[in-house]
Amino acid sequence: MIVEQVWTGNAYRNFNYLVVCPESRDALAIDPLDFKKCLAVAADRGWSISQILNTHEHADHTGGNSGVVKATGAKVIAHKNAAQKIPNMDRGVGAGDIIKVGKTVELECLDTPGHTMSHICLLSRTDQPALFSGDTLFNAGAGNCHNGGHPEELFETFEQQLEILGDETLIYPGHDYLLNNLAFTLDREPDNTIAAQMIENFRNQDPDNALVTTMAQERDVNTFFRLQSPSVMAKLVEDFPEIGDKPNAKTVFLKLRELRNSW
Ligand SMILES: [Zn+2]
Ligand SMILES: [Zn+2]
């Protein structure tokens, strides 16, 4: 499996992806907002885009569909419940469905509500798994729930589907929010030396060649996976005495998500 992360350079800091079968050179475009750049990269490498996967219905993920379809005839795939929101969907998918790319690539669909209620993450069936996480999981952060989502479902998605991923899993999110998210982690957990070091190391990173984190790193620096961290809990209890001395994981997650909204 070849993964090409395409940096859009737009104000929303979107990442688009091409996932390619190295044998057939067939490609799946994930959220190809900057369709011109995606098409140019594919043409340059000799890849042909035959499918599009929208992780969810927001315009900064679907806005490039028609440009790619016009140029390639690619089929549009998204969550089965997004059919009313995404024009000209060819295939609706749900939990456990497989998207094949060429001869060698298989991507499993995870049904991951929270950011919106029709959000798909893709997990590759490769020796080192890769997760294409859309706006559910960001490097060092979690998606917001402002536009059609619910924090409680996002918590359940994190707890039941993301937390269980193997340490070596590579994380490919829909946006580059790494530095802001790390700063939030440090705001909540000032003694997180790994997050502090990561900010130093990647402060001036080139988004065209961005850090790809693993789940092991996420467990270290992503506040939303650090619900049991004594310093995260202590600071939260200080700010919200009403949650008691020993808030459960769900309460911690929901408070962190609420704080991140206005942070
Ligand atoms: Zn979104
Ligand atoms: Zn987005």
Side-chain angles (χ1 to χ4, degrees):
M1 180 177 78
I2 301 167
V3 176
E4 179 76 19
Q5 186 174 51
V6 179
W7 166 241
T8 61
N10 67 351
Y12 297 118
R13 308 189 66 80
N14 287 81
F15 281 133
N16 305 166
Y17 296 92
L18 297 174
V19 179
V20 185
C21 166
E23 271 184 37
S24 67
R25 307 184 84 71
D26 245 308
L28 167 78
I30 301 178
D31 295 338
L33 175 67
D34 190 340
F35 65 91
K36 288 182 180 163
K37 195 165 177 184
C38 291
L39 290 169
V41 170
D44 183 55
R45 309 283 170 82
W47 300 334
S48 71
I49 300 174
S50 54
Q51 302 174 90
I52 296 168
L53 181 280
N54 292 139
T55 54
H56 63 293
E57 68 271 27
H58 288 159
D60 61 311
H61 297 257
T62 61
N65 286 6
S66 59
V68 174
V69 170
K70 223 174 263 176
T72 65
K75 302 292 182 205
V76 176
I77 308 169
H79 193 289
K80 57 187 180 214
N81 295 342
Q84 304 299 318
K85 302 165 200 152
I86 298 176
N88 304 314
M89 248 176 71
D90 295 291
R91 179 182 172 196
V93 289
D97 286 345
I98 301 294
I99 296 174
K100 287 189 165 195
V101 185
K103 296 178 194 157
T104 60
V105 177
E106 290 194 353
L107 302 162
E108 181 187 344
C109 298
L110 308 183
D111 187 346
T112 53
H115 173 68
T116 74
M117 296 310 284
S118 43
H119 190 297
I120 293 286
C121 292
L122 294 179
L123 182 63
S124 71
R125 294 190 164 169
T126 40
D127 290 342
Q128 181 175 21
L131 182 77
F132 299 92
S133 56
D135 287 2
T136 296
L137 168 64
F138 297 124
N139 298 129
N144 69 47
C145 306
H146 302 323
N147 298 296
H150 296 289
E152 299 208 351
E153 274 83 355
L154 189 65
F155 167 70
E156 280 169 20
T157 290
F158 266 67
E159 187 187 48
Q160 293 164 18
Q161 301 192 67
L162 302 183
E163 180 69 53
I164 61 171
L165 295 172
D167 275 348
E168 72 285 9
T169 309
L170 297 166
I171 305 301
Y172 291 105
H175 296 262
D176 171 31
Y177 297 149
L178 176 70
L179 294 177
N180 269 352
N181 285 337
L182 287 171
F184 180 68
T185 292
L186 287 174
D187 177 70
R188 291 287 96 207
E189 192 182 7
D191 59 351
N192 188 324
T193 53
I194 300 176
Q197 189 62 53
M198 197 180 270
I199 284 202
E200 280 313 307
N201 293 348
F202 295 94
R203 190 179 296 287
N204 298 311
Q205 81 162 339
D206 171 10
D208 266 315
N209 199 3
L211 168 70
V212 177
T213 62
T214 62
M215 266 306 291
Q217 285 175 303
E218 292 299 326
R219 289 190 226 283
D220 284 338
V221 302
N222 190 327
T223 324
F224 294 91
F225 287 124
R226 300 182 60 73
L227 309 177
Q228 321 284 347
S229 150
S231 56
V232 168
M233 287 174 75
K235 191 131 191 273
L236 214 56
V237 169
E238 226 176 85
D239 295 345
F240 302 96
E242 71 273 16
I243 64 177
D245 285 347
K246 291 194 173 66
N248 63 22
K250 184 173 182 176
T251 303
V252 174
F253 185 98
L254 295 178
K255 282 294 175 198
L256 290 171
R257 186 53 265 172
E258 187 185 317
L259 284 169
R260 184 67 176 82
N261 291 342
S262 53
W263 181 80

